[in-house]
Amino acid sequence: MAHSPRIVIIGAGIVGVNLADELVNRGWTNITVLEQGPLRMPGGSTSHAPGLVFQTNPSKTMSRFARYTVEKLKSIEQDGASCFNQVGGLEIATTETRLADLNRKLGYASSWGLEGRLLDPAECKALYPLLNEDMVLGGLHVPSDGLALAARSVQLLIERTSAAGVVYRGSTPVLDIEQANGRATGVRTPDGTVPADIVVCCAGFWGPKIGAMVGMAVPLLPLAHQYVKTTPVDELKGRNELPNGAGLPILRFQDQDLYYREHGDRYGIGSYAHRPMPVDLDSLATYRAEEVSEHRMPSRLEFTLEDFLPAWEASQQLLPGLRNSGIDDGFNGIFSFTPDGGPLLGESSQVGGFYIAEAVWVTHSGGVAKAMAELITTGRSGTDLGECDVARFEEVQLSPAYVSETSQQNFVEIYDVLHPLQPRLSPRNLRVSPFHARQKELGAYFLESGGWERPYWYESNARLLKELPTEWRPPARDAWAQMFSSPIAAAEAWKTRTAVAMYDMTPLKRLEVSGPGALALLQRLTTSNLDKKPGAVTYTLLLDHAGGIRSDITVARLDEQTFQLGANGNIDLAYLTKEARRQTDDGTAGWVQVRDITGGTCCIGLWGPLARDLVSSISDDDFSNDGLRYFRAKQATIGGVPVTAMRLSYVGELGWEIYTTADNGQRLWDVLWEAGQPFGVIAAGRAAFSSLRLEKGYRSWGADMTTEHDPYQAGLSFAVNTAKESFVGKEALKGRTEEGSARRLRCLTIDNPHSIVLGKEPVFYKDECVGYVTSAAYGYTVRKPIAYSYLPASVNVGDAVEIEYFGKRIPATVTADPLYDPEMKRLRG
């Protein structure tokens, strides 16, 4: 590329140098890498990272990052030796709970295309002779796991990219990020300013300091993590020729929060089995370049032996050979933790051209660098970044107190067996809807998401279980599927289908897009024609330039210049804000403003066959079918409360999303509740909602569709208006059809009603893994467990498949969807 943008990368650790390499591979060579430490040993987490790479992860994205990292490190060679020692990985179970979890984890490996095998105790011992076989119940072996030679790879990548023209400046601290017109323009150092069109912060645990220079909150907490090297171990002598060599698999003893690797005839032991140790960056020692060494660097803190002693005892039990050795060297090394455990990737929504790639471990470094290079050079990553996007957090989740508490909690729970619905115990009640007091009175069982308290079911509805018709009674679940669920959800689903129910939809993100340029912005970004009369509501998609689904939203045109959007989260807000700023600066389509109105408003989903009877009893406005048709909105008054009513339903029943301001929220709840008593109204929660939405075949963004899927694969072609002149992603969709898609989202019904899966389990067709479960729930109306999965086009409706759940294959059938009311009579009546 003759005139590639000027890029400055901050940080020459394993992420920064990999990013430089990935950019060079794409023809971008005008790159400067700044490192505050010496280039031979920068002194961040990379310099002391033990390098264990376990690729299996509950997250498809993180597993893909790890797989690419393995391939990348294997390809970096010098003198015939690569930067990856593929010794394999072994995770052992010493409890029944962990053994079950390893079965589940093998399912993840299959889902994401990794080869793995469960071993019995004797097989574990054969693979790893130093184990105390009497403690071990089984293990998970992934042959492609292994050891990253992180520091060596960094040096080789510096050599390779320097030869391609990348400029590296060691011992160069960053003083400030210079900006003009809302964009990063350069990086100020003691030696002057390095001009830049794009700045990428790969500063590791120093990231919050760099982010603060552009006013960007980087929700990351540096925490110390203990690592020791033992004295020589008799059983390891003679096994490895090199002082740092390894031949045994890398080993995890997660029941005691420990992991192990060889260093020649010594062991390296990493421990999370200690109190969280947050680090104040301002307290870190500073060293002159010539002083930095393996034992003297900012990220290597003094070892606290008392914290390690319990881990040492547990290690000697698992590996008896350690009983005749001691601790030769130990340190508390700094790593980055975040509120949800994921990395922080993407562009600032406030400052254009300023990107971050933080909280990235060696395990995922190469994959993250590739994704960031794709994002920077093309505007999108081939791997979906939704769960890594730096914009994913709500404002309340960016406070230092929240970041500190939740990141420390993630440290404590890093190896715990956690259920997919496992809620935080603290902090809680950060965000509550105006209906919260009433929900507590009804015995709501709350789970937390995005800081919001969300009712999953109501104990007050337990009385309905006695009235529940036999055919609606839910089957017994296994212990894992039963966690964070209740049979009460069946009663709530029954009442929604047969009477009327109130759902709290307040936590769903609401945006207001307004101004003379509002229509132009939304027309450009969405797949549907939004140039409709006020009162129209449209379900539409936001695509990226390759046709991948960024999000799905509902857009209500309230007046000529005001639109209310039902969005999926802060990532949508960041995208729309960025695009609105670009359009306003461009000046061709009129100014436009994007506001998050979620906190100042609230919403009740009032749904069920008796919803119209209820509303008509307390409103003089016309809620008849002609008065407010499906996918229309209007201003109205209900029980004296001014509302905006939108005729939408995600449960497949007649009804409305009823919005009002937060100050009127409790009164709206009260008038609907009181008027609804003659009609049998109930409050219903997310558990029933999730079941009903799947029966109706409604997709959930982030699970059933991501940027890795296009509308045709996801079964959403109805949301694409191909006659529209242009929109982001339109060119990429040319020639694509639902019938021509190589993979399509399919509905699976599980034959055994007691076999309820939860998501991400592998799906097998003719004994070959062909997909994984995206969403799942028990369908109370259809009396079957439901799952969705992307399957090859060769798998058709009526075909038999199997879902692997904790190591067992469960028969299922590919079924036409939606399962419930495909003619839409319930919604349109």
Side-chain angles (χ1 to χ4, degrees):
M1 186 178 292
H3 302 289
S4 66
R6 299 167 299 178
I7 297 181
V8 175
I9 297 171
I10 300 170
I14 197 164
V15 179
V17 297
N18 258 296
L19 175 59
D21 185 62
E22 294 289 337
L23 288 168
V24 166
N25 291 343
R26 287 159 179 78
W28 290 33
T29 56
N30 195 348
I31 301 166
T32 302
V33 182
L34 305 177
E35 171 54 54
Q36 66 176 347
L39 290 175
R40 61 178 173 79
M41 186 170 283
S45 299
T46 301
S47 299
H48 64 69
L52 288 79
V53 177
F54 288 94
Q55 299 165 86
T56 309
N57 193 292
S59 160
K60 176 185 176 185
T61 293
M62 299 303 281
S63 279
R64 285 182 66 171
F65 286 163
R67 285 185 68 182
Y68 182 81
T69 301
V70 168
E71 296 307 311
K72 178 77 179 279
L73 290 169
K74 283 168 63 179
S75 75
I76 304 170
E77 292 187 350
Q78 187 180 55
D79 301 327
S82 81
C83 290
F84 192 75
N85 185 359
Q86 204 154 32
V87 291
L90 177 63
E91 301 179 57
I92 54 104
T94 60
T95 64
E96 292 292 345
T97 299
R98 182 70 58 185
L99 187 62
D101 193 57
L102 292 184
N103 270 282
R104 184 171 65 126
K105 191 170 275 188
L106 178 60
Y108 293 144
S110 300
S111 290
W112 317 143
L114 290 166
E115 180 192 339
R117 195 165 73 87
L118 284 169
L119 308 182
D120 63 27
E123 290 172 312
C124 291
K125 177 75 171 178
L127 184 66
Y128 206 102
L130 282 74
L131 282 176
N132 177 358
E133 185 182 352
D134 294 339
M135 289 180 62
V136 177
L137 300 181
L140 172 62
H141 179 224
V142 177
S144 58
D145 289 344
L147 284 164
L149 283 64
R152 182 169 182 265
S153 72
V154 166
Q155 296 308 309
L156 292 179
L157 285 171
I158 287 175
E159 288 179 26
R160 183 159 94 185
T161 52
S162 295
V166 175
V167 175
Y168 286 87
R169 291 170 55 174
S171 302
T172 304
V174 170
L175 302 179
D176 200 7
I177 309 296
E178 298 195 347
Q179 306 170 54
N181 301 317
R183 288 195 64 83
T185 59
V187 180
R188 188 156 59 84
T189 76
D191 302 319
T193 296
V194 183
D197 302 301
I198 292 171
V199 176
V200 191
C201 179
C202 303
F205 57 77
W206 281 284
K209 290 269 189 191
I210 305 296
M213 295 175 183
V214 297
M216 181 181 183
V218 177
L220 174 161
L221 183 72
L223 283 164
H225 158 58
Q226 292 197 305
Y227 192 78
V228 306
K229 288 183 182 177
T230 69
T231 58
V233 178
D234 290 342
E235 285 86 345
L236 292 181
K237 288 178 181 175
R239 293 184 65 97
N240 301 299
E241 295 178 13
L242 299 173
N244 219 29
L248 289 171
I250 54 176
L251 179 67
R252 267 181 177 165
F253 181 18
Q254 291 170 297
D255 289 318
Q256 291 293 335
D257 296 321
L258 293 165
Y259 62 82
Y260 307 88
R261 61 156 292 179
E262 295 162 277
H263 293 280
D265 62 357
R266 302 163 187 256
Y267 260 113
I269 306 173
S271 171
Y272 295 99
H274 55 81
R275 62 192 167 91
M277 304 177 193
V279 176
D280 178 5
L281 294 178
D282 293 329
S283 71
L284 295 183
T286 55
Y287 299 98
R288 294 192 303 275
E290 63 273 15
E291 295 176 325
V292 176
S293 69
E294 181 187 349
H295 294 89
R296 286 171 64 86
M297 63 178 80
S299 62
R300 183 181 164 119
L301 306 182
E302 188 174 340
F303 187 58
T304 51
L305 178 62
E306 65 276 11
D307 290 304
F308 188 75
L309 288 176
W312 181 239
E313 289 181 20
S315 297
Q316 290 174 319
Q317 289 180 341
L318 183 72
L319 302 168
L322 290 174
R323 292 169 187 167
N324 296 319
S325 68
I327 298 169
D328 181 52
D329 177 40
F331 64 93
N332 293 358
I334 304 176
F335 289 96
S336 301
F337 282 77
T338 60
D340 61 4
L344 307 171
L345 311 178
E347 186 179 14
S348 163
S349 58
Q350 292 88 26
V351 180
F354 181 80
Y355 292 79
I356 73 168
E358 303 289 7
V360 181
W361 293 17
V362 169
T363 300
H364 310 108
S365 55
V368 164
K370 174 177 181 280
M372 288 298 294
E374 291 171 342
L375 185 65
I376 291 166
T377 58
T378 71
R380 79 183 293 271
S381 160
T383 300
D384 181 69
L385 300 182
E387 62 192 49
C388 308
D389 195 310
V390 69
R392 68 189 181 271
F393 295 104
E394 295 290 320
E395 191 175 3
V396 71
Q397 296 175 299
L398 298 175
S399 75
Y402 183 92
V403 172
S404 178
E405 181 176 352
T406 54
S407 298
Q408 290 183 60
Q409 183 180 343
N410 280 330
F411 178 91
V412 170
E413 295 177 345
I414 190 162
Y415 283 164
D416 288 1
V417 178
L418 299 175
H419 192 275
L421 291 175
Q422 193 109 16
R424 298 189 186 284
L425 298 179
S426 176
R428 291 293 295 268
N429 294 310
L430 295 177
R431 307 180 80 188
V432 298
S433 81
F435 320 130
H436 187 253
R438 298 295 184 255
Q439 292 166 344
K440 286 177 70 177
E441 290 168 4
L442 294 170
Y445 182 87
F446 293 100
L447 296 179
E448 178 267 349
S449 178
W452 284 101
E453 295 297 320
R454 305 174 77 162
Y456 268 63
W457 63 84
Y458 294 84
E459 290 296 332
S460 60
N461 292 328
R463 60 183 172 79
L464 297 173
L465 292 172
K466 297 175 184 174
E467 306 171 25
L468 199 60
T470 304
E471 66 272 17
W472 280 88
R473 289 180 186 164
R477 302 176 178 222
D478 68 85
W480 184 254
Q482 180 58 37
M483 291 177 72
F484 309 107
S485 75
S486 169
I488 294 172
E492 294 177 359
W494 169 57
K495 277 293 191 179
T496 306
R497 292 278 189 242
T498 59
V500 59
M502 294 163 57
Y503 289 82
D504 183 0
M505 307 299 287
T506 302
L508 301 185
K509 180 70 74 176
R510 286 176 295 287
L511 308 177
E512 181 186 87
V513 180
S514 61
L519 177 61
L521 176 73
L522 294 171
Q523 284 284 72
R524 177 167 62 87
L525 301 182
T526 68
T527 57
S528 306
N529 178 20
L530 302 181
D531 191 6
K532 302 174 182 176
K533 293 178 181 177
V537 182
T538 308
Y539 173 83
T540 188
L541 305 174
L542 300 173
L543 304 183
D544 61 27
H545 289 283
I549 302 173
R550 277 182 171 272
S551 190
D552 65 332
I553 60 174
T554 53
V555 181
R557 189 172 197 176
L558 303 183
D559 61 40
E560 289 294 328
Q561 295 189 3
T562 308
F563 297 80
Q564 181 173 313
L565 277 57
N568 280 303
N570 256 28
I571 297 174
D572 294 342
L573 172 62
Y575 175 58
L576 288 161
T577 299
K578 202 181 304 178
E579 292 295 329
R581 188 179 298 128
R582 184 178 300 162
Q583 177 174 300
T584 298
D585 291 346
D586 181 57
T588 56
W591 65 267
V592 57
Q593 181 186 52
V594 178
R595 287 197 309 135
D596 181 353
I597 60 171
T598 312
T601 55
C602 58
C603 178
I604 294 174
L606 185 74
W607 295 310
L610 302 183
R612 183 174 285 136
D613 298 331
L614 192 166
V615 168
S616 298
S617 71
I618 49 171
S619 177
D620 294 329
D621 291 285
D622 187 357
F623 280 87
S624 69
N625 197 37
D626 290 334
L628 184 57
R629 291 196 170 276
Y630 189 51
F631 266 86
R632 296 285 298 174
K634 74 174 181 180
Q635 310 295 322
T637 302
I638 296 176
V641 179
V643 302
T644 300
M646 299 185 194
R647 189 156 167 209
L648 310 174
S649 170
Y650 285 96
V651 300
E653 296 296 334
L654 170 70
W656 307 270
E657 292 180 358
I658 303 174
Y659 297 89
T660 191
T661 50
D663 57 328
N664 282 315
Q666 186 168 295
R667 190 156 66 101
L668 176 64
W669 181 281
D670 288 346
V671 297
L672 288 172
W673 185 257
E674 184 179 350
Q677 294 310 304
F679 304 102
V681 73
I682 63 158
R686 295 288 302 178
F689 179 91
S690 297
S691 168
L692 299 173
R693 103 163 158 85
L694 275 186
E695 290 182 334
K696 195 63 186 143
Y698 291 140
R699 281 49 170 153
S700 174
W701 185 84
D704 302 316
M705 53 185 166
T706 69
T707 54
E708 295 177 19
H709 309 109
D710 71 31
Y712 301 107
Q713 294 169 321
L716 296 174
S717 56
F718 67 88
V720 179
N721 184 341
T722 53
K724 190 175 168 183
E725 186 176 345
S726 69
F727 55 82
V728 172
K730 183 179 179 184
E731 286 301 309
L733 294 185
K734 281 185 176 175
R736 300 190 202 181
T737 62
E738 204 161 308
E739 296 72 25
S741 297
R743 298 180 69 80
R744 291 166 65 182
L745 187 64
R746 295 290 203 179
C747 176
L748 312 178
T749 53
I750 296 171
D751 302 345
N752 181 349
H754 298 279
S755 299
I756 297 166
V757 301
L758 300 179
K760 302 185 179 180
E761 296 87 356
V763 178
F764 291 82
Y765 176 64
K766 296 182 178 177
D767 214 33
E768 179 187 353
C769 184
V770 292
Y772 61 91
V773 173
T774 58
S775 286
Y778 183 78
Y780 297 109
T781 320
V782 299
R783 284 66 154 160
K784 291 178 181 178
I786 307 166
Y788 274 76
S789 177
Y790 282 91
L791 300 178
S794 57
V795 183
N796 295 305
V797 170
D799 284 348
V801 296
E802 292 178 308
I803 301 172
E804 189 173 289
Y805 180 68
F806 285 93
K808 295 179 181 176
R809 299 278 180 92
I810 298 169
T813 304
V814 182
T815 309
D817 71 326
L819 298 173
Y820 180 75
D821 188 27
E823 297 87 17
M824 303 281 282
K825 292 178 181 177
R826 308 277 292 193
L827 285 166
R828 297 182 184 278

